[in-house]
Amino acid sequence: MNHDGETRRFAFAFDDRYRPLLRLLGIRPDTCELTLSADVLRVRFGPWVVLSPRANVAGAELSGPYSAIKAIGPHLSLADGGLTFGSNTRLGVCIRFRRSVSGSEPLGVLRHPALTVTVEEPAKLLDELRATQRAAQ
């Protein structure tokens, strides 16, 4: 766990092929970031934001590669209600929550049991999230 009080920042990894489409949605490198502090996980993906207490993270794993149709942009999984914030099709981290989170629409009515993010350094993010799990046990 992050004991030094430092907030870890993870930029999203953008595939150049999808930048024009994402830009239309307000999703650019300067509007996307995952921040992880000792207490809070915050993900901004253009106009979409997911906030969760860090203790609410139940698990995480690497995932991908993905189909562009299912992964580029903000996507809601019809299979399990999970949310994806995707900026590339190569690799991401699926974060599972103890209590579902909001983030796909402004009223917070829809809740998501998981969030997949396509950040730079996914293995480093996975290590940080797993440290949270070990500290909670």
Side-chain angles (χ1 to χ4, degrees):
M1 185 189 233
N2 182 2
H3 294 292
D4 58 9
E6 183 180 330
T7 297
R8 308 279 192 241
R9 299 183 185 285
F10 295 87
F12 275 73
F14 279 79
D15 185 319
D16 289 340
R17 294 176 291 179
Y18 306 115
R19 281 181 191 255
L21 169 67
L22 293 170
R23 192 173 300 115
L24 290 174
L25 299 171
I27 300 166
R28 305 178 310 272
D30 64 319
T31 65
C32 297
E33 180 179 60
L34 183 149
T35 57
L36 195 59
S37 71
D39 301 319
V40 177
L41 165 72
R42 181 180 187 274
V43 185
R44 179 175 178 215
F45 193 66
W48 292 270
V49 175
V50 169
L51 275 171
S52 174
R54 191 163 172 172
N56 189 37
V57 173
E61 55 271 333
L62 293 176
S63 61
Y66 316 104
S67 154
I69 300 237
K70 293 183 178 181
I72 297 301
H75 280 273
L76 176 64
S77 167
L78 298 179
D80 66 5
L83 183 60
T84 296
F85 289 165
S87 55
N88 74 71
T89 57
R90 294 180 303 278
L91 185 64
V93 177
C94 178
I95 305 165
R96 290 177 284 105
F97 300 102
R98 297 181 201 305
R99 290 176 316 284
S100 295
V101 298
S102 62
S104 62
E105 41 79 35
L107 299 178
V109 174
L110 292 177
R111 308 292 290 184
H112 311 287
L115 172 65
T116 297
V117 293
T118 55
V119 295
E120 294 176 358
E121 302 183 288
K124 185 175 176 184
L125 173 59
L126 185 64
D127 287 345
E128 288 283 334
L129 292 169
R130 287 186 172 165
T132 301
Q133 289 174 270
R134 285 190 297 274
Q137 292 174 351

